[in-house]
Amino acid sequence: MTTATLSSPCSYVIFGATGNLSQVKLMPALYHLEVAGRLPEETMILATGRRPWNREIWIEQVKKMVVAKARGGVDEAIFSRFVQRLDYHQVDLNQAEGYQSLAIKLDQENFPSNIAFYLSIKPSDFGVVIQNLSEVELLQQPHGWRRVIIEKPFGYDTESARALQKRLNRYLEEEQIYRIDHYLGKGTVQNVLVFRFANVLMEPLWNRNYIDHVQITHSENLGVGTRGYYYDTAGALRDMIQSHLLQLMALVAMEPPVSMEAEALRDEKVKVLKSIRPIPQHAVHAQAFRAQYRSGQMPEEGFVSGYLEEEGIPKDSVTETYAALRLYIDNWRWRGVPFYLRTGKRLKKSQSAIAICFKHPPQQLFRNTQIEQLHPNWINLGIQPEERLTTEINVKQPGLTMKTRTINMDASFRSQHEAHTDAYEDLLLDVIEGDRSLFLRYDEVATAWQVVDPVLQVWSMERDYIRSYPAGSWGPKEANRLFEREDQYWRYSLDCCDELKG
Ligand code: BG6
């Protein structure tokens, strides 16, 4: 959560700088920070990669990345200033020489001694890079801070996350580690906290007495694209639910923290994650659902191939591209309230939203009138693409009869003229400022793995068959079996009157 003051300058060293994340997110985000005047004066950005490139070639590459993503086009004067900060250094992750020459470059050239290392590389390389950086003493902090940003996934399950953590602990203090979950950098995700804790209206209702259930959805139009090799070893449960959706659930369900300090926030999130009732293996089928997309018609792209035809995917893969869970939080506030989490690729619409369904009023006052069935109240928090908060309430229809209709009280988080910032801009700035509140502590990650591990274990044993859904649909209807009752159903929109039931 960035403040408006400028911090001391630093060197951003990006491992995996030529990769996809750097192209579509990191370099554009750093450029936008330049536009916003938020990069401290002498800050430098050093890309590292295996290719034998030099600074000039790298600048050409960066120009393409920035042109593709710059909001409102590239400002040439600002881009020239940005270019002054850029440099490139060849490093083969497994060869010591590259790290030695990197240490010399950082020491002898014009690089600030505060250094942030961004590991945008394969998770299996995290350990080796940290060890090599440590061997050339780049992780020691005698004259400036040294911070390491680690992309997800942090491990593959509880065991591998523990092993990775143990390895990192040999070379780094916890305060040097920034485990990123880019969802926490999204303005509208942070708005969940503001909505809950900056308004007094909600808190009395925010519990099992008034809330029937909570739904958290992340759906995507896109398929796996060029990331098939990674995705097939992960699947939707690891890729989205273990990280982003459990974080959203923690923000919706946590108790008010004692302050907005990183540790206070993270303590409360961990408490929620620890209170999630473990799914016993025999209940996995009742509480978890998975499926894979086959070919189909997307609303805009038209016909697209199925998952098994994508690049890098084995023909017999049973990796899920759609996953849904029913979870319970066993604490005083939430006991008995189901939380439904759902995510999928190649679905009909791209959207992330939290939908909170309230219970019916305790007294059925309108039973003997023409009101057939009262629509429950809902609060919907649109995270993307619509950044909106809608509240659905019942009002009387005009006229002589006692009939109701549901109306939307609609609030946009951001009006059209207000700037949109990408999650990575916030997070890259937080690293410079040493604010870890939007990064994950190890116990959060480990507890999140414990939530999904039983499901992963059962699914890994069931390798013969996976349900499929046509690309462009909302996923298989069978996912409805997760609901506790027949009157619960998935939301597809933030608008009550618009395709409420899919
Ligand atoms: C990433 C996942 O962490 O989040 C991707 O690995 C997913 O598979 C992406 O597409 C979604 O993020 P966003 O910001 O595009 O909603």
Side-chain angles (χ1 to χ4, degrees):
M1 278 170 237
T2 52
T3 54
T5 51
L6 275 189
S7 315
S8 32
C10 82
S11 308
Y12 247 111
V13 179
I14 303 177
F15 283 86
T18 58
N20 184 264
L21 181 76
S22 164
Q23 282 174 34
V24 299
K25 294 288 184 187
L26 303 181
M27 297 314 298
L30 287 164
Y31 168 75
H32 284 125
L33 289 177
E34 180 80 83
V35 174
R38 297 299 297 273
L39 287 179
E41 192 70 6
E42 288 145 34
T43 292
M44 295 287 289
I45 301 160
L46 177 61
T48 77
R50 228 175 344 170
R51 300 172 207 206
W53 285 355
N54 57 24
R55 180 166 184 265
E56 283 62 46
I57 300 178
W58 175 239
I59 289 171
E60 283 308 306
Q61 298 296 319
V62 174
K63 177 116 201 195
K64 287 187 214 151
M65 300 173 193
V66 171
V67 166
K69 293 280 173 178
R71 294 189 290 269
V74 179
D75 179 313
E76 288 301 331
I78 296 177
F79 188 73
S80 312
R81 201 163 71 221
F82 184 58
V83 161
Q84 305 304 314
R85 303 181 188 275
L86 301 179
D87 205 345
Y88 183 86
H89 188 74
Q90 187 183 5
V91 178
D92 180 330
L93 299 185
N94 293 301
Q95 305 281 326
E97 302 83 62
Y99 297 89
Q100 284 152 5
S101 52
L102 176 68
I104 294 170
K105 186 175 178 76
L106 287 168
D107 185 45
Q108 295 182 353
E109 295 179 21
N110 208 13
F111 288 93
S113 57
N114 294 325
I115 307 180
F117 296 99
Y118 198 116
L119 306 194
S120 172
I121 51 179
K122 284 205 305 273
S124 52
D125 289 332
F126 291 157
V128 75
V129 172
I130 296 297
Q131 183 173 345
N132 276 304
L133 287 174
S134 165
E135 277 165 15
V136 294
E137 300 187 0
L138 275 174
L139 299 180
Q140 295 179 6
Q141 316 190 73
H143 309 300
W145 51 254
R146 301 293 153 97
R147 298 173 184 154
V148 178
I149 305 133
I150 299 192
E151 262 296 332
K152 71 169 249 289
F154 192 92
Y156 186 75
D157 55 14
T158 308
E159 268 314 302
S160 55
R162 189 177 298 142
L164 174 59
Q165 178 62 14
K166 210 167 148 199
R167 194 155 180 205
L168 297 186
N169 275 344
R170 270 190 239 145
Y171 310 107
L172 292 163
E173 301 294 330
E174 176 64 24
E175 53 154 57
Q176 292 178 276
I177 307 177
Y178 288 67
R179 294 177 201 81
I180 207 162
D181 181 316
H182 78 279
Y183 252 63
L184 296 183
K186 291 184 191 280
T188 38
V189 172
Q190 293 164 36
N191 203 33
V192 175
L193 291 180
V194 177
F195 175 63
R196 287 195 55 200
F197 302 130
N199 297 302
V200 80
L201 284 177
M202 280 304 136
E203 186 53 25
L205 303 179
W206 212 255
N207 57 54
R208 62 193 300 276
N209 297 326
Y210 297 98
I211 292 181
D212 180 72
H213 71 274
V214 177
Q215 294 183 20
I216 302 177
T217 299
H218 169 90
S219 59
E220 285 180 51
N221 274 163
L222 288 178
V224 290
T226 54
R227 297 168 73 226
Y229 296 97
Y230 149 74
Y231 194 88
D232 199 60
T233 60
L237 186 58
R238 285 193 180 88
D239 185 53
M240 286 300 301
I241 295 189
Q242 185 273 344
S243 47
H244 309 320
L245 297 201
L246 282 178
Q247 281 295 320
L248 288 184
M249 176 171 167
L251 294 176
V252 169
M254 71 192 231
E255 296 300 316
V258 287
S259 72
M260 288 300 279
E261 294 295 315
E263 296 318 319
L265 259 171
R266 301 193 304 181
D267 284 347
E268 292 305 333
K269 282 196 285 163
V270 170
K271 276 197 225 159
V272 174
L273 294 169
K274 283 192 174 154
S275 313
I276 295 179
R277 189 186 305 166
I279 304 181
Q281 292 214 340
H282 66 79
V284 163
H285 287 284
Q287 285 188 242
F289 183 87
R290 66 173 175 165
Q292 191 182 73
Y293 63 83
R294 54 178 193 271
S295 58
Q297 290 287 337
M298 295 302 296
E300 280 170 24
E301 273 171 273
F303 181 83
V304 295
S305 316
Y307 180 71
L308 297 180
E309 287 93 57
E310 302 273 20
E311 185 191 327
I313 308 298
K315 292 287 162 262
D316 57 351
S317 169
V318 290
T319 297
E320 79 285 357
T321 58
Y322 177 104
L325 289 187
R326 182 177 78 227
L327 297 173
Y328 295 93
I329 300 172
D330 281 342
N331 65 14
W332 194 289
R333 189 190 281 266
W334 294 112
R335 179 141 193 133
V337 177
F339 282 72
Y340 300 107
L341 275 49
R342 157 181 72 147
T343 185
K345 293 210 182 275
R346 285 288 188 224
L347 294 182
K348 191 168 181 178
K349 194 158 111 186
S350 287
Q351 90 173 9
S352 299
I354 299 168
I356 293 147
C357 180
F358 285 82
K359 293 187 173 174
H360 284 288
Q363 197 185 356
Q364 294 290 328
L365 261 188
F366 301 101
R367 196 175 296 144
N368 299 323
T369 68
Q370 282 175 285
I371 298 172
E372 285 158 8
Q373 204 192 358
L374 272 184
H375 180 69
N377 298 126
W378 288 79
I379 288 184
N380 304 304
L381 292 142
I383 290 165
Q384 61 187 32
E386 296 165 282
E387 300 180 16
R388 269 168 72 199
L389 166 70
T390 64
T391 309
E392 290 169 16
I393 54 170
N394 296 309
V395 295
K396 184 185 170 304
Q397 278 188 26
L400 298 176
T401 50
M402 187 51 143
K403 284 189 170 174
T404 59
R405 66 180 172 211
T406 304
I407 57 159
N408 243 353
M409 296 205 300
D410 191 337
S412 285
F413 295 153
R414 187 171 60 85
S415 54
Q416 276 182 340
H417 66 275
E418 286 174 307
H420 167 82
T421 53
D422 185 77
Y424 279 91
E425 292 164 44
D426 255 34
L427 296 174
L428 288 167
L429 205 51
D430 281 354
V431 175
I432 304 183
E433 292 174 353
D435 180 352
R436 290 183 299 140
S437 50
L438 297 180
F439 293 82
L440 307 183
R441 205 165 62 190
Y442 172 64
D443 52 354
E444 282 181 82
V445 180
T447 317
W449 278 121
Q450 281 160 18
V451 173
V452 299
D453 262 1
V455 180
L456 291 171
Q457 279 157 16
V458 170
W459 286 356
S460 72
M461 287 182 289
E462 296 175 350
R463 307 215 50 86
D464 314 332
Y465 171 72
I466 180 164
R467 270 192 190 77
S468 68
Y469 58 97
S473 69
W474 271 115
K477 288 264 180 295
E478 292 93 327
N480 292 347
R481 70 168 158 72
L482 296 188
F483 289 117
E484 269 188 343
R485 299 192 317 265
E486 283 201 344
D487 63 347
Q488 294 176 338
Y489 50 84
W490 295 116
R491 294 275 317 209
Y492 296 96
S493 163
L494 300 180
D495 294 306
C496 55
C497 316
D498 180 16
E499 50 160 339
L500 196 59
K501 298 185 184 190

